[in-house]
Amino acid sequence: QVQLVESGGGSVQAGGSLRLACAASGNSVLTNTMAWFRQAPGKEREGVAGIRPGGGPFYVDSVKGRFTLSKDNAKNTLYLQMNDLKEEDTATYYCAADSSVSRLLSPNEYRFWGQGTQVTVSS
């Protein structure tokens, strides 16, 4: 069982920045594939960025060049630095983890989820 707790959401103006953090239990960040997803009202959950153990980050096209995924194995924490935020980035952001993932940004691949953190971007 993996426990995930997100933090760092908030309200910002377009062009601003936020850094999300996902604190994981045990050594989950080191041994699991992890990803950030987001879900806006009325929309399906969308994969934003993910990383496999020992691999590099992968991003959905809409956030490339603006978002940076990183992890601190010593702190067992996954981060998502979000710069140049746009109104369309407004959503609840979720952290997810699993030990066996085929499609990195497919929500159906992940068993363990955090509770989510709200990000609101206004013009």
Side-chain angles (χ1 to χ4, degrees):
Q1 191 77 10
V2 177
Q3 295 179 331
L4 304 168
V5 179
E6 302 99 334
S7 61
S11 297
V12 296
Q13 289 191 323
S17 298
L18 285 171
R19 188 176 81 153
L20 306 182
C22 172
S25 58
N27 63 347
S28 305
V29 168
L30 181 64
T31 61
N32 283 271
T33 294
M34 300 195 70
W36 287 98
F37 292 82
R38 66 186 179 187
Q39 188 166 19
K43 294 188 176 182
E44 293 185 353
R45 192 164 295 190
E46 172 192 32
V48 175
I51 188 166
R52 301 183 187 278
F58 179 85
Y59 304 94
V60 69
D61 285 347
S62 60
V63 307
K64 284 180 181 177
R66 301 189 298 121
F67 290 11
T68 301
L69 184 151
S70 62
K71 59 179 183 175
D72 186 328
N73 291 333
K75 294 183 178 180
N76 212 32
T77 301
L78 185 74
Y79 300 99
L80 186 68
Q81 176 67 43
M82 306 185 295
N83 298 329
D84 190 23
L85 282 161
K86 305 176 185 299
E87 287 185 79
E88 52 264 41
D89 295 318
T90 295
T92 301
Y93 282 71
Y94 298 90
C95 174
D98 210 313
S99 58
S100 178
V101 173
S102 177
R103 294 172 295 170
L104 188 61
L105 296 185
S106 172
N108 294 333
E109 298 280 335
Y110 293 84
R111 289 175 292 165
F112 305 111
W113 293 84
Q115 82 289 351
T117 186
Q118 178 66 36
V119 171
T120 303
V121 184
S122 58
S123 61

